Amino acid sequence: MLSFSALVPILILLLLGAIDLWVYVDAEAHSKRGTPVVFSTGFLTVDTPAAWFFGSLLLSIVFIPLYLTIRGQVG
């Protein structure tokens, strides 16, 4: 049986995976309603559900707060 300290990283990864999946589903719903969640800067544009998903999958600490901020502005 795994110890609690061994389970913590697994639980964190599962939680982050669930949040990343929620970001994709929510971004897809916004896109279908005609209010896509879009972030653009000089060299980077994140405007599709897949881009939000992969961004949050690879850089969760940056993309998840960014998504929540932009999503709050979109409505």
Side-chain angles (χ1 to χ4, degrees):
M1 182 165 165
L2 292 174
S3 68
F4 179 73
S5 61
L7 285 176
V8 170
I10 295 169
L11 293 174
I12 290 172
L13 286 175
L14 288 173
L15 178 63
L16 283 174
I19 291 170
D20 295 338
L21 185 59
W22 173 83
V23 165
Y24 176 80
V25 170
D26 190 66
E28 181 75 20
H30 273 275
S31 184
K32 286 181 180 178
R33 284 194 304 260
T35 57
V37 181
V38 177
F39 173 76
S40 183
T41 186
F43 63 93
L44 175 69
T45 300
V46 183
D47 58 355
T48 65
W52 280 112
F53 174 75
F54 286 115
S56 65
L57 186 66
L58 298 174
L59 290 169
S60 296
I61 199 159
V62 173
F63 275 84
I64 292 171
L66 181 63
Y67 179 78
L68 293 172
T69 301
I70 302 296
R71 179 185 183 272
Q73 295 171 357
V74 170

